[in-house]
Amino acid sequence: MSSRKLNKLSSANAVPDIVHGYISVQKFKRNQPEQYKKRHKTTKLRRHKDLVQHVAVHILKMKTEVLKDIKIQDISKLFNVHPSLLSRKFKQEKEYTLCEFIQRVKIQRAVLLLQQDVIENNTVAKARQNGLKIDNLSTYLGFSSTEYFIRCFKKRIGVPPNTYRKCFKMQVSGNYADPI
């Protein structure tokens, strides 16, 4: 810096200008029109809604092999957001946590895999009576134990996986009326 600029900054008149500038900014913030405050707040909210939507879409598009090992820390690194902020905003927007959302996606995939197994067994491989085993399905989806998977499945769907498979099999074969 030149000595001329340093002298200007060190002069006594520069300090009140800086303080005055700070005070005028504070007055501006205090006296902002309500419309500006609301617009700023809604912009911030929109950003968080967009983040939550992007995270949800990203999770839905994940392959099952990747989804079974996913952690909130991995997702937050991907979106460059702190894990606690991501979890909090997800809960505010979706009314359930990010972990519950991942679990719901896994259960939806389990339902689809069970339905696919029933359809393949009814048309192609009638020799195989048992079809897809529940413990293999729970491991494939990344649940810690088969019992926990069955508990989660029953909580979300209303019946255990084997019962669901039997009902779907009867519905596909035409021996069962619509359950709902």
Side-chain angles (χ1 to χ4, degrees), residues 13-93:
N13 294 337
V15 175
D17 287 339
I18 293 170
V19 171
H20 180 69
Y22 176 75
I23 291 170
S24 65
V25 168
Q26 291 301 319
K27 283 182 182 177
F28 174 73
K29 284 184 178 177
R30 234 180 290 126
N31 298 327
Q32 289 177 18
E34 275 304 307
Q35 188 178 23
Y36 177 78
K37 289 179 184 178
K38 287 180 183 177
R39 185 175 35 200
H40 179 68
K41 189 175 182 179
T42 56
T43 305
K44 197 171 186 178
L45 287 174
R46 202 174 304 127
R47 276 187 291 175
H48 291 300
K49 278 185 178 180
D50 291 344
L51 172 69
V52 169
Q53 289 294 53
H54 286 302
V55 168
V57 167
H58 184 74
I59 291 171
L60 288 170
K61 288 182 177 181
M62 280 184 179
K63 293 183 178 180
T64 306
E65 294 82 18
V66 177
L67 184 65
K68 75 178 187 178
D69 296 328
I70 198 72
K71 296 180 178 113
I72 293 177
Q73 288 81 7
D74 300 334
I75 297 170
S76 64
K77 280 182 186 176
L78 185 67
F79 287 94
N80 200 20
V81 179
H82 196 273
S84 62
L85 175 70
L86 180 62
S87 297
R88 188 172 59 247
K89 293 303 174 185
F90 202 93
K91 172 92 173 163
Q92 287 174 355
E93 292 296 320

Side-chain angles (χ1 to χ4, degrees), residues 119-176:
I119 291 170
E120 287 175 1
N121 282 336
N122 278 345
T123 58
V124 179
K126 287 213 176 214
R128 193 173 83 178
Q129 294 294 322
N130 292 339
L132 185 63
K133 295 190 179 199
I134 300 303
D135 58 342
N136 292 343
L137 182 62
S138 67
T139 304
Y140 178 69
L141 292 170
F143 283 90
S144 56
S145 70
T146 306
E147 293 80 20
Y148 179 63
F149 168 69
I150 292 171
R151 199 172 336 123
C152 293
F153 193 95
K154 187 174 181 180
K155 181 181 173 186
R156 296 278 173 235
I157 307 300
V159 293
N162 278 328
T163 307
Y164 179 82
R165 182 187 356 223
K166 288 175 187 173
C167 291
F168 187 74
K169 196 179 281 188
M170 287 193 279
Q171 190 176 8
V172 167
S173 65
N175 298 334
Y176 186 69

